[in-house]
Amino acid sequence: METISKINEIRNIINEWKRQGLTIGFVPTMGCLHQGHLSLIEQAKNENDKVIVSIFVNPLQFRPNEDFSRYPRSLDKDLEGCRNFGADLVFTPSLNDLLPEKNLVYVDVDLLGNNLCGSSREGHFRGVCTIVAKLFNILTPDKSYFGEKDAQQLAIITRMAEDLNFNTKIVPCAIVRESDGLAMSSRNVYLTLEERQAATIISKSLSSAKSLLQKGKRDSLNIKSFIIDSIKTEPLANIDYVEIVDHSTLQFVDIIEKPILIAVAVYFGKTRLIDNLTYKEV
Ligand code: PAF
């Protein structure tokens, strides 16, 4: 496995792979890799000849009051994980190379980026799309792997690939959870012991909501209130949002008649965690 930080060097390697007719799977990350990321690398390895993982903490997707400077960084451990799970190349561009100060062009997203995380993290998806578009252009992957935990990001990137004609297939990958149900996230390392225990209320509340749906409940306001009340039973939880949206358009729904996404964001102390549930059996 090679680690490359220069754009022209990685392009040369990719050109050679393409010349040999090899397919490329791509896993974009911001590092601090956990089992969720490693499962994406594993899937990419099974479906492609070569796998590239990028590690770049993207300042464009953090608001000024967010955790960019303290975002966890663990390059040595990340490289070990990438190697163990079969990555061929790790791309670690410098800030100056990937986002030079002269950068004037950004990728903006309409509609899909306006609610959920888009409303509480203004500019976040513009930052994500801009960096992912750059990475797609540099690495020209055949397939790109994104976790379903970031459901809104996945929907937006899928739409970006379609609308901007990127020649890469976006592959959604299932959420990976801890044994007690907490969705794996690089931000889980911020949690104190008490917050870590309290955070299981998110997946518990989503599972209970799923039972309501399975019993035929279809009024989204009722289900939303049920989830809010359930999360509020945990005193350390501070809800950012709980929303029920159409699975593909991400627009709010009143009556659940089509596949939906229940998306939640909850603070535990300063740590904001997201999770979601897709329900398609309607
Ligand atoms: O999901 C992430 O880690 C980031 O949003 C991504 C896709 C690597 C872009 O910076």
Side-chain angles (χ1 to χ4, degrees):
M1 186 187 84
E2 269 188 274
T3 304
I4 307 262
S5 56
K6 291 281 169 234
I7 294 174
N8 58 346
E9 278 178 32
I10 202 153
R11 277 194 159 138
N12 288 340
I13 298 179
I14 290 167
N15 285 342
E16 178 53 27
W17 286 349
K18 298 246 160 168
R19 208 188 52 75
Q20 294 173 24
L22 301 174
T23 59
I24 299 172
F26 171 44
V27 180
T29 82
M30 296 207 297
C32 194
L33 304 187
H34 50 68
Q35 204 52 46
H37 295 111
L38 299 175
S39 72
L40 304 188
I41 300 174
E42 196 168 34
Q43 187 170 341
K45 187 71 187 173
N46 290 335
E47 298 179 357
N48 301 275
D49 298 316
K50 297 286 183 186
V51 174
I52 305 177
V53 178
S54 67
I55 298 180
F56 180 72
V57 185
N58 169 25
L60 290 183
Q61 66 190 77
F62 292 79
R63 282 165 58 81
N65 59 341
E66 291 183 348
D67 55 344
F68 173 66
S69 53
R70 70 178 187 117
Y71 193 82
R73 287 149 170 98
S74 55
L75 187 61
D76 290 344
K77 193 166 155 269
D78 291 348
L79 293 179
E80 197 186 315
C82 290
R83 191 175 295 110
N84 292 342
F85 279 76
D88 296 279
L89 260 187
V90 179
F91 183 42
T92 54
S94 71
L95 183 57
N96 265 348
D97 279 353
L98 199 57
L99 273 179
E101 269 176 36
K102 65 178 174 53
N103 201 85
L104 290 179
V105 177
Y106 298 85
V107 178
D108 224 333
V109 51
D110 214 348
L111 206 67
L112 290 180
N114 294 348
N115 57 12
L116 310 178
C117 290
S119 52
S120 50
R121 303 185 73 190
E122 207 193 325
H124 171 71
F125 289 114
R126 180 183 197 247
V128 171
C129 286
T130 302
I131 228 61
V132 172
K134 277 174 170 270
L135 291 168
F136 283 172
N137 279 330
I138 296 166
L139 305 174
T140 60
D142 297 280
K143 293 185 180 172
S144 301
Y145 295 79
F146 289 84
E148 288 178 338
K149 183 171 81 66
D150 297 297
Q152 189 174 17
Q153 168 172 284
L154 171 62
I156 288 173
I157 296 291
T158 304
R159 190 58 192 255
M160 177 183 86
E162 200 180 310
D163 286 1
L164 298 187
N165 305 95
F166 282 105
N167 196 12
T168 187
K169 180 175 167 21
I170 307 301
V171 183
C173 302
I175 299 178
V176 179
R177 297 184 180 277
E178 303 285 356
S179 55
D180 61 6
L182 181 69
M184 289 199 185
S185 161
S186 304
R187 290 192 166 95
N188 290 351
V189 299
Y190 296 149
L191 300 169
T192 63
L193 256 177
E194 292 73 26
E195 289 166 351
R196 168 67 187 78
Q197 269 161 7
T200 57
I201 192 65
I202 304 178
S203 57
K204 284 182 195 142
S205 305
L206 288 173
S207 306
S208 309
K210 186 174 179 184
S211 306
L212 292 183
L213 288 161
Q214 282 166 337
K215 283 181 193 144
K217 302 275 183 232
R218 289 292 176 266
D219 183 328
S220 80
L221 265 187
N222 279 346
I223 292 173
K224 181 173 156 172
S225 309
F226 169 84
I227 298 170
I228 291 174
D229 291 344
S230 169
I231 294 176
K232 280 187 173 165
T233 59
E234 176 44 68
L236 294 180
N238 187 6
I239 295 175
D240 180 7
Y241 68 75
V242 172
E243 297 296 357
I244 302 184
V245 294
D246 180 282
H247 191 261
S248 45
T249 65
L250 301 188
Q251 299 309 296
F252 301 119
V253 293
D254 294 330
I255 301 297
I256 299 166
E257 297 170 316
K258 286 201 219 152
I260 49 146
L261 174 78
I262 305 182
V264 308
V266 183
Y267 283 94
F268 293 86
K270 285 193 177 139
T271 307
R272 183 176 174 280
L273 301 181
I274 58 171
D275 199 348
N276 65 75
L277 165 76
T278 292
Y279 191 76
K280 293 189 169 165
E281 297 94 63
V282 279

